[in-house]
Amino acid sequence: MKRESDFHTFTWEQRKLGSAYEITMGQSPNSNNYTKNPNDFILVQGNADIKNGRVVPRMWTKQITKLANPGDIILSVRAPVGDVGITNYTVVLGRGVASISGDDFIYQTLIKMKTFGFWRKFSTGSTFESINSKDIKNAVILVPIANERRNIGTIFKSVDATIALHQRNQKGLQNRGPPIKTINLYTFLYQTR
């Protein structure tokens, strides 16, 4: 017979994103300060600066407006709204992005929010969709206790790494010769009868 103490219960709280995590909205530096000099500060302006979930430097600036630190999550607030990446650098935030000082759990939560169209209900603009500070800070999320949050984040980070490894391996195999024919399990089972 199981005792109540044999069961682990984890409590998840419904919280506003802005009360659970520190959010910094971007502010564009003066365009006269933009450079191509890698010795200046990396400027992140939008989703063009995010590739495969990471910030990729392509523009620099001499002017510091708002900063994000290494490990911070970058969220695109202009078309396309909701793209996310993690920065490995101290970066200047342009007005097309916001940073969230968070963990792997909130990173995965933000990916889920983008995937399921969460930001569409807030998006405004006829030419380019966008969201504002209030939309981000007031977004309601479910947050587990810190230990559970770390465990969930670690699991998803491991899954992401495994997926990335398999994608690189598949791409490497395809570059070696004739295309590899892929087949799904359903097709295999029913075509071999």
Side-chain angles (χ1 to χ4, degrees), residues 86-139:
I86 297 175
T87 181
N88 293 328
Y89 319 96
T90 298
V91 298
V92 173
L93 300 170
R95 71 179 187 167
V97 295
S99 73
I100 300 168
S101 296
D103 50 28
D104 292 322
F105 174 81
I106 193 59
Y107 176 72
Q108 295 296 333
T109 300
L110 291 166
I111 290 172
K112 177 184 161 239
M113 292 166 82
K114 164 72 175 181
T115 302
F116 289 102
F118 178 85
W119 300 112
R120 269 189 247 131
K121 63 184 167 191
F122 301 108
S123 266
T124 60
S126 56
T127 308
F128 296 107
E129 59 181 24
S130 65
I131 54 176
N132 62 38
S133 170
K134 183 180 168 187
D135 299 330
I136 298 167
K137 290 178 180 177
N138 290 330

Side-chain angles (χ1 to χ4, degrees), residues 24-27 64-68 91-94:
T24 304
M25 298 300 292
Q27 178 182 340
I64 297 174
T65 51
K66 303 285 181 91
L67 290 174
V91 298
V92 173
L93 300 170

Side-chain angles (χ1 to χ4, degrees), residues 7-15 105 141-149 152:
F7 294 97
H8 296 280
T9 57
F10 296 103
T11 305
W12 288 51
E13 291 182 321
Q14 187 172 336
R15 308 245 330 251
F105 174 81
I141 59 172
L142 290 173
V143 182
I145 59 174
N147 189 42
E148 182 77 355
R149 199 169 53 238
I152 292 169

Side-chain angles (χ1 to χ4, degrees), residues 149-165:
R149 199 169 53 238
R150 273 190 301 278
N151 290 340
I152 292 169
T154 299
I155 290 167
F156 278 112
K157 188 174 186 176
S158 175
V159 169
D160 280 349
T162 302
I163 291 169
L165 175 66

